Structure formats: structure tokens, C-alpha cells
Amino acid sequence: RYFRWWYKKTRIEKKSAFIDLLCAVPLQQIYGCPLGGIGGGPITRGWRGEFCRWQLNPGKYRYGTVIADQFTVCLRRKGQTVYQQVLSLERPSTLQGWNWGYCGHYAFYHALYPRAWMVYELPGQNVVLTCRQVSPVIPHDYKDSSLPVGVFIWEVENGNEEPVDVSIMFSLQNGTGAKEDESGGHWNEPFALREGGERVAGVLLHHRTPVNPVTFAVAAREKAGTVVTHLTAFDPTGSGRDVWQDLLQDGKLESPAGKSRVTAKGEVTAAAVCASCTVPARGHGTLELALAWDMPRIHFGSKEKLHLRRYTRFFGSDGDAAPALLRYALTHYEEWERKIEAWQKPVLENSQLPSWYKSALFNELYFVTDGGTIWLELPPDLLPQDVQGPGGAGLSHLLPVLREYGRFAYLEGQEYRMYNTYDVHFYASFALVMLWPKLQISLQYDIAVTVMNEDVEPRQYLMCGQTAQVKLKNVVPHDIGDPDDEPWQRVNAYLMHDTANWKDLNLKFVLQVYRDYYLTRDMPYLRDMWPVCQAVMESELKFDTDNDGLIENGGFADQTYDAWVVSGASAYCGGLWLAAVRVMCEMAEVLGDAGTRQKYSGILQKGKEAFERMLWNGKYYNYDSSGSNTSSSIMSDQCAGQWFLGACGLDQGELEVFPKSHVVSALKTIFEKNVLGFAGGTMGAVNGMRPDGVPDTSSVQSSEVWIGVVYALAATMIQEGLVQEGFRTAEGCYRTVWEQLGMAFQTPEAYCEKKVYRSLAYMRPLSIWSMQLALESRARQASDPKP
């Protein structure tokens, strides 16, 4: 069934499959810190300095290095050029008139998202260059964090007894290396903006594709002692000798006036900007360059609706914002860095935290921008019914929130192209609610609207072959759509299962609503979400088939582990259910709804007793109550309900749902069996382990390690006082992904003991921010002990 569907989708309709099981993205161990803010379409640079991953069209990736996109250094002493080198290890077949093949022994890369550092010790020159790459990704900032810009600050150290003239040339191709670069109709033009005593000058590269046109722009900041020159156009497919000689001659470019001619079909064009200064003997110099890309108006794959990106709110949507964006970036990056340092400093200076954790915590955040992320403005002329549909009229703050903070969506993974996949966002949402809480609340409003509406169109599901409607009313969707279609308008791009019968989605909505309220104290949000929570819990109650207060799984893979069958009462869904019932009681209390509180308190008492009776075996909670061969498997995610309750402060004393001693015993068993008993304790926690110490191989997913689940498990351990065990558990994942497998900035969903991985660049590992929340909560409790 899947193959027939895949063939029709990819070969006949010429569209991309939402999950392409036949054409996985190949692993390239090259990626570094991405450039750009949230939702403007990031450009990723590799750790060797190349520009190599592009996501300008929403949700669509292009993987490939554009060889003309380079930094080149020129050193001059006493009026003579003594050294000129492309700062790249490449030896390409084009631009052979340039001096390639920089020796990697003399370079060093370091990334701490959203910044990166490249250090070049120029051989034989006694000159050190440090390029600091800065993107405006700033917690609690909803303006600058949206900007599609990156700044490159080049610090020059001259160790010689004489001054040296230093030039940095930034060259850029008009395009992303795709066939559209040769489609014709593209052109470049120089620009300059003067403000006060400073000037920002560079080149605009107008890339005029029929859908989603973009203007790229490179510029440098000209202040006292700095000279900025440019080359409007050159052919990046030729030898490049003219450009090289132009720079070699005097360390500057010729700076022609006027636009370049428009490219013909089959032609490619590029441009370059050069910043130059004199660095005194034994002195320092600084050159500041920047890149912007202005694609303000976008269409998704269906081309039905025009959307405006978030940054257009501040810089306009006419496609002429690149000069202003560059000036803003070059005059504000120091402020961005101060804010980034103030945010990161408490973690980096905490000697109690291991260094790998500091790297993981910040670098895993790359996915907030590089997850196919889109952040859109709501059109000013939009009618309320266009957003809320027939069922969402009761959400009184929906429009104010979306109008003020926009609409946010990110992919389940770069290979799993569905926006805001909700069973996975449950884990990743900690990064949003802690750092950009308004984006989490906006996302929740979008989900709430979808809950209250339906899509009655029938379709066939690929796993079971049955036909059912796309979306039922009063259930949480799996996702809000495919970027190749029209997200928000048509939801549930996921075709594998009919997720209306999944057991976890509704519960994960209720848990997030209360967790968001607990961390933000946003009462209007809680009031708006309360009827939605009641509706999805009513829908969920039908899964309690024997009226014992505990839902039952349906004998298929009916939750986020969508290839791991579960039957009857289960530790994962049963635990999430009890946690959701508990927060329903809490929300009813806050909102003064005594009837609902009484109803769910009764369910909770019954359900707790059933859960313990059917699943507790004296050491841990069984995988499920079906009595099958794998019923007694030790699931690493069995305490997911407790994890969320702990994050909401509902896990102590008379508030506890799961007996403390049972939770600690289960976590210790997981640590002993799933962590230490798997791969020598060096690869995190395997999802399923048999009591005899052999991984559960009943499904492909039971024998995998899911990095995002491991970070959540580590957070649960930290909440329960097993701090060292938590760090040891999570460290295995970090070392495996970032060090052994070379998967920096593309953390996958899963790997297994044999190092086979699945789904590169995935959403779930953002759950590492729940570890930080657990650590901060513990620190607060320690400094504020209860009397």
C-alpha cells in the first residue's frame, strides 16, 4: 500500500512524500551552527566553513555545498600582497583561479548555538583570524529573533612587528546551488546606506523564481579605518581568475556602479563584498560582514494562499528589506550578544554541570530555527471565521494571541515533513515554553482550533488499509499539515494510522495546557483552553472500556511509538492518562469548577488503584497488561506521566499520583537494565528491555534508543533526586550522536546498538530543556527549603 501511494505521490503528482521510506537523506558529517533567526528560513554552515544546507522554501530542504560561497583573506605588507587564500579545505573543479586547499591543521571550529567561532592561524604569517558567527536567537524576544540574518565578526590579531593590511572578501552565488540558479532572470546590484558617520555597503542578489522569490544580500560595515568595496557580478562556474587578480592587486575590489545584466537561461551569477583595514604591529583589528535573505511572501506547496513571514511586521513585505536588515544586524549584533551571554552565562559558569551537557543544552536548540520552521504573521484583513472555523468561536483570546505573536510551526523532522507533530511536540515543547512561551501558547491555540473542528473527507490509511475521515471533532490532530500542501487549512498529513484512535494525543494536550499555565500563569489562556480540555477528555473516556478509571490500548501501535503494539492497560498511556486526570482536577480547582473536579477525582482514585494492580510488579511498571511475551518488558518511557507532573509541581506529598517509592524503583530498574545493561552503559537508554537483560526486539522501535525520550527520562531522574544517574543516562546519547556518529546539528529520532539511525534532524531531542527545568526547580527548592 505504501509503495503504491509513494509512486503516485512522487512520480505522478511530482510531490514529496511526507515520510519517504525509500529515499532517506544521506548522512553527511559536515554540519555546523545554522544562520538566521526563527522562521525566516535558515542557512546552515558546515564546521569547515561551507554553506551547505538551505531551507528557504518553507519546510523544504536543499542539501549541497555552494562552492562560490566563501570567505577569502588577503594580507598586504608595504604595499605588496604577501598572502591570499580561500578559507576553505575544498579543492573544487570550478573557480580554479583561486587559491584553495587551506590546511585544516591550522583551523579550529567551536559552536555554542546560536553562535559559532572559526579560528584560522594563517601559516607563516603570524596572523590569527577569528570569525565569530552570530544569529539573533534570543529568548523572550519576538522581534529580532525572527530576522533572516547572520553576522560574521572577523577579529584579526597581528603578531608581527609591522602593520598589516587585511582584507576579508565574502563571495556569494545568486541562489542555493539548485537548478533554479540557471533559470535566468536573476541580477545583482550594489547598495549603500549611510547613517551618522557610518555606512553599510554591499550587494543585493535578486533571485527571481516564479514561486517564493528571494533577495540575498551581503554587506560590510564601513567605519573609521575600514574600507568596503564590491564586485557586482562574476561567473561562479568559470575560473574566477578576474576576481582573484582584482583582490590580489590592491586588497580591494573594483566597485563598479549600477546593476548587473539579467542572467540568461543556463547562466549563473555571483557577487562579492570586501572589507579592509590596517592592523597595527602587535595589534588587533575588526571587520564586520553580514548576510541577509529576504523572502517575505511565501506560498506552501499547494500555492493556494499567500503568507507573510513574521519579520515583515518590522521590515515590510515588498521584498526590498535586505539593506535595512543588514544595517540593523550590523548595528545591533553587539546587543544580541550581550543578551545571549546573559542567558547562557548561568549555565556555562555552573561548575556542577558537566561540559557535555552545556554543549547539548544550547546546541540542540538549533532545531527551533532549523526544523523547517515557519513563523507567520496573521494577515490584517483576515476574518475571525477564517482562523477559528465553525467550531472555534469560544476561544476569546485566539485572535489577539495570533495577531500579536503570529503563527509558529516546525517539522517533526527534516525527513518527517509534518508541521507541529503533536505527540512529538509534547517532548520538544519544553524548549518553547521556557524560552519563547508566547510561541508555545500560539501553537496551542492553533491545536485547540483544530480540536473543535473536523474534516469529514474520507481517506485510506496505509498501515491498516481502512478508510476513515481525515479529522474527527473533539480529538487532537496528529499534525497541522504538510508544507507541500496548505498547513493549518488541511491537517493530519500523517497517513500511516488513523490517529483519532491514538491514546496519547488528547492527554498530551491537557498536560501541556496545565504545564504552560503553571510556568506562565496565563489565566486567559487557561480559561480559553478549559472547555477544549473537557472535550478531549470526554473523547478519551471511551477508551476506558471496563470503567475501572484507566484507559486501555487497542492492540495496535496507537501512540507515539507507532510501530510498537500495545494492548490493555499500559505503563505509557495509562500513566499519561492518570497524569492528565490529575491536572484536570487541578485546573478545575483553579477555575472553581467543583463538579468537574469531583468527577475527575473519582476517576483518579479508581484509576490509580487499577494502574497499580494491573501493571506494578514490585520493581517497575510492566509494558502492558496483555500477558503477551513482551508484557513484562521494561519501557524506558514508563514514567512519562510522572515526568510531566513533576514539571508542574504536582508530584509531591498528597498530590502524588504514582507512589514515590514505585517511581524511584522503576527509574533505578531502567538505569540498571536499559542504560547500564545496554551497550555497556554508553548509548543512553534502549526503549524496551526484557527482564533478563536482552533488548526487546518485538518491534523495530522497542530495540531503538530515542534521544528525545532519553533526555525526558534523564529529567525525570533529576526530578526524583537521581541526578548523577540522569546525567549518565543523557550523556550516552550526546556522546553517541555528537561525537561518535558525527551527527552534530542533525540529531536523529533514533539509533540502535549497531549504530543504525533513523530520521535525521528530529524535533523530540529539544526535550533536553526539561532537564534544565528539573535542575532549576531543584536549585530553587534547595535555596528555599520548606519549614
Side-chain angles (χ1 to χ4, degrees):
R1 263 192 303 269
Y2 176 84
F3 181 75
R4 283 199 305 272
W5 172 84
W6 178 90
Y7 187 85
K8 178 175 177 242
K9 189 83 174 169
T10 62
R11 297 298 182 263
I12 297 169
E13 296 175 14
K14 303 291 188 209
K15 293 263 191 179
S16 306
F18 71 94
I19 295 179
D20 196 330
L21 300 175
L22 303 177
C23 301
V25 173
L27 172 63
Q28 298 184 80
Q29 297 160 319
I30 63 173
Y31 298 115
C33 184
L35 283 162
I38 301 171
I43 298 171
T44 298
R45 287 186 80 204
W47 50 268
R48 288 177 297 206
E50 65 272 59
F51 290 75
C52 53
R53 187 168 70 194
W54 312 77
Q55 193 269 123
L56 301 182
N57 283 315
K60 298 293 200 62
Y61 274 85
R62 191 190 121 61
Y63 303 91
T65 296
V66 180
I67 210 66
D69 298 356
Q70 299 291 348
F71 287 100
T72 297
V73 62
C74 172
L75 301 184
R76 291 170 59 78
R77 293 193 182 95
K78 297 175 180 165
Q80 295 290 313
T81 296
V82 293
Y83 181 86
Q84 188 163 298
Q85 172 73 47
V86 186
L87 296 171
S88 165
L89 280 60
E90 305 278 355
R91 296 179 184 276
S93 56
T94 54
L95 298 173
Q96 290 196 324
W98 294 14
N99 186 22
W100 295 91
Y102 185 82
C103 176
H105 178 73
Y106 296 102
F108 172 80
Y109 180 81
H110 173 72
L112 191 70
Y113 188 77
R115 297 195 293 171
W117 293 258
M118 287 180 161
V119 182
Y120 302 89
E121 297 174 358
L122 303 181
Q125 301 305 313
N126 208 5
V127 170
V128 178
L129 305 176
T130 302
C131 175
R132 198 165 73 253
Q133 173 185 309
V134 180
S135 293
V137 179
I138 302 157
H140 307 285
D141 176 299
Y142 300 92
K143 178 192 173 185
D144 291 7
S145 290
S146 72
L147 303 183
V149 294
V151 182
F152 307 95
I153 305 101
W154 289 84
E155 305 278 2
V156 187
E157 292 174 59
N158 178 14
N160 298 288
E161 298 298 341
E162 58 182 356
V164 60
D165 298 331
V166 181
S167 298
I168 299 286
M169 178 177 80
F170 185 6
S171 53
L172 194 79
Q173 184 163 312
N174 187 325
T176 63
K179 59 181 187 296
E180 289 83 9
D181 292 13
E182 301 180 36
S183 63
H186 312 312
W187 80 96
N188 308 335
E189 62 175 318
F191 79 92
L193 288 180
R194 194 178 287 281
E195 194 173 276
E198 289 192 11
R199 180 171 170 265
V200 169
V203 181
L204 306 174
L205 299 88
H206 302 291
H207 192 72
R208 286 299 170 256
T209 46
V211 181
N212 301 342
V214 59
T215 295
F216 298 95
V218 283
R221 188 180 188 182
E222 190 171 274
K223 47 189 185 183
T226 306
V227 177
V228 178
T229 54
H230 71 269
L231 187 61
T232 311
F234 70 90
D235 177 6
T237 64
S239 73
R241 198 161 279 115
D242 292 353
V243 186
W244 195 259
Q245 291 302 323
D246 183 7
L247 184 65
L248 195 69
Q249 193 179 339
D250 58 0
K252 298 182 178 65
L253 297 172
E254 63 173 307
S255 301
K259 299 176 184 178
S260 73
R261 62 182 182 77
V262 176
T263 58
K265 202 172 170 70
E267 258 188 318
V268 183
T269 186
V273 170
C274 177
S276 314
C277 70
T278 300
V279 182
R282 299 271 170 198
H284 283 73
T286 304
L287 296 168
E288 301 151 299
L289 295 100
L291 170 66
W293 49 103
D294 182 24
M295 184 193 278
R297 304 153 75 86
I298 53 164
H299 288 91
F300 291 107
S302 73
K303 304 184 183 65
E304 287 171 39
K305 291 184 171 181
L306 179 68
H307 301 274
L308 301 183
R309 294 196 196 259
R310 168 71 174 179
Y311 74 87
T312 63
R313 183 188 189 99
F314 315 106
F315 285 88
S317 59
D318 295 337
D320 58 1
L325 282 165
L326 286 167
R327 178 173 63 189
Y328 190 84
L330 286 165
T331 54
H332 285 76
Y333 78 83
E334 290 155 303
E335 180 189 331
W336 298 342
E337 287 196 284
R338 279 195 296 275
K339 290 176 177 174
I340 290 165
E341 284 166 8
W343 158 46
Q344 295 184 340
K345 199 172 174 183
V347 173
L348 300 178
E349 292 188 349
N350 184 343
S351 59
Q352 308 288 300
L353 299 175
S355 55
W356 68 262
Y357 170 76
K358 297 170 184 179
S359 167
L361 183 70
F362 294 114
N363 284 329
E364 291 289 12
L365 268 182
Y366 85 95
F367 197 83
V368 170
T369 59
D370 210 359
T373 311
I374 201 81
W375 187 3
L376 303 175
E377 281 290 278
L378 223 52
D381 56 350
L382 200 69
L383 298 168
Q385 55 266 36
D386 293 342
V387 180
Q388 60 204 27
L395 298 165
S396 61
H397 286 78
L398 166 72
L399 280 169
V401 166
L402 295 188
R403 287 217 161 105
E404 184 62 27
Y405 296 104
R407 269 185 154 161
F408 174 86
Y410 60 159
L411 297 178
E412 180 177 334
Q414 289 181 13
E415 296 191 76
Y416 285 18
R417 271 199 359 270
M418 295 154 282
Y419 274 132
N420 294 351
T421 297
Y422 201 72
D423 55 302
V424 182
H425 172 69
F426 173 71
Y427 294 82
S429 62
F430 281 88
L432 281 190
V433 78
M434 291 173 71
L435 301 172
W436 294 276
K438 301 298 187 186
L439 293 185
Q440 165 67 6
I441 279 168
S442 164
L443 186 156
Q444 286 283 86
Y445 268 104
D446 274 330
I447 294 292
V449 163
T450 311
V451 167
M452 306 311 277
N453 288 291
E454 61 182 345
D455 181 344
V456 297
E457 187 182 324
R459 64 177 180 185
Q460 186 185 40
Y461 289 90
L462 299 175
M463 293 297 271
C464 61
Q466 291 169 345
T467 298
Q469 73 181 58
V470 171
K471 166 72 177 64
L472 285 176
K473 193 170 181 181
N474 293 341
V475 299
V476 170
H478 174 274
D479 58 83
I480 56 115
D482 179 347
D484 218 10
D485 187 25
E486 193 62 53
W488 288 291
Q489 187 169 321
R490 283 186 291 281
V491 303
N492 280 349
Y494 180 77
L495 267 177
M496 296 300 193
H497 297 280
D498 176 8
T499 58
N501 291 316
W502 274 20
K503 308 304 180 288
D504 60 340
L505 289 167
N506 296 328
L507 308 174
K508 287 173 171 177
F509 178 80
V510 172
L511 287 167
Q512 284 184 70
V513 166
Y514 183 71
R515 189 271 325 264
D516 299 345
Y517 165 72
Y518 177 74
L519 294 177
T520 66
R521 298 295 164 180
D522 187 335
M523 184 57 88
Y525 165 73
L526 186 66
R527 286 191 200 286
D528 268 357
M529 294 297 149
W530 179 233
V532 188
C533 290
Q534 290 173 291
V536 299
M537 287 299 276
E538 279 301 319
S539 295
E540 192 78 11
L541 271 167
K542 68 176 181 287
F543 300 129
D544 179 7
T545 51
D546 55 4
N547 198 30
D548 64 352
L550 191 62
I551 59 167
E552 286 82 41
N553 289 86
F556 67 102
D558 54 358
Q559 27 69 46
T560 197
Y561 298 88
D562 58 355
W564 193 359
V565 172
V566 56
S567 298
S570 71
Y572 183 68
C573 291
L576 290 174
W577 162 254
L578 291 179
V581 171
R582 175 69 190 85
V583 305
M584 286 297 285
C585 298
E586 196 66 23
M587 289 190 283
E589 176 87 6
V590 171
L591 295 167
D593 186 338
T596 304
R597 178 175 169 78
Q598 192 175 357
K599 172 183 171 177
Y600 282 100
S601 294
I603 293 170
L604 185 61
Q605 288 317 311
K606 274 200 305 185
K608 276 163 61 169
E609 190 276 323
F611 188 78
E612 296 296 325
R613 175 169 42 82
M614 297 171 81
L615 295 166
W616 180 249
N617 65 18
K619 288 196 75 177
Y620 60 92
Y621 293 102
N622 285 336
Y623 177 66
D624 68 19
S625 66
S626 66
S628 70
N629 292 339
T630 56
S631 234
S632 58
S633 284
I634 306 158
M635 187 191 200
S636 65
D637 212 1
Q638 63 183 273
C639 295
Q642 176 72 3
W643 168 51
F644 244 73
L645 290 177
C648 299
L650 295 178
D651 59 337
Q652 306 289 333
E654 76 236 32
L655 301 177
E656 75 178 25
V657 172
F658 309 97
K660 209 67 161 170
S661 59
H662 290 189
V663 171
V664 172
S665 172
L667 291 172
K668 285 181 171 174
T669 304
I670 293 164
F671 185 67
E672 179 197 337
K673 300 285 191 179
N674 301 51
V675 179
L676 299 181
F678 176 75
T682 62
M683 291 180 79
V686 68
N687 281 341
M689 182 65 89
R690 301 293 303 132
D692 61 2
V694 177
D696 180 338
T697 55
S698 62
S699 90
V700 63
Q701 292 176 343
S702 55
S703 59
E704 289 179 329
V705 175
W706 286 10
I707 295 95
V709 166
V710 173
Y711 289 151
L713 167 63
T716 316
M717 290 175 170
I718 290 166
Q719 283 170 193
E720 301 303 325
L722 304 173
V723 178
Q724 292 317 309
E725 291 89 338
F727 279 130
R728 172 80 190 266
T729 298
E731 181 178 3
C733 282
Y734 176 80
R735 302 267 182 220
T736 301
V737 169
W738 290 77
E739 294 177 358
Q740 290 163 22
L741 296 177
M743 291 179 174
F745 299 100
Q746 53 184 329
T747 304
E749 158 76 316
Y751 57 75
C752 61
E753 193 168 1
K754 299 215 170 7
K755 309 264 176 85
V756 177
Y757 64 89
R758 182 168 60 78
S759 188
L760 286 171
Y762 198 77
M763 179 198 285
R764 204 181 317 250
L766 285 170
S767 62
I768 192 167
W769 279 84
S770 68
M771 290 179 67
Q772 185 60 21
L773 182 65
L775 289 163
E776 288 174 12
S777 300
R778 279 184 64 77
R780 262 198 311 277
Q781 285 162 13
S783 65
D784 181 26
K786 296 280 184 287

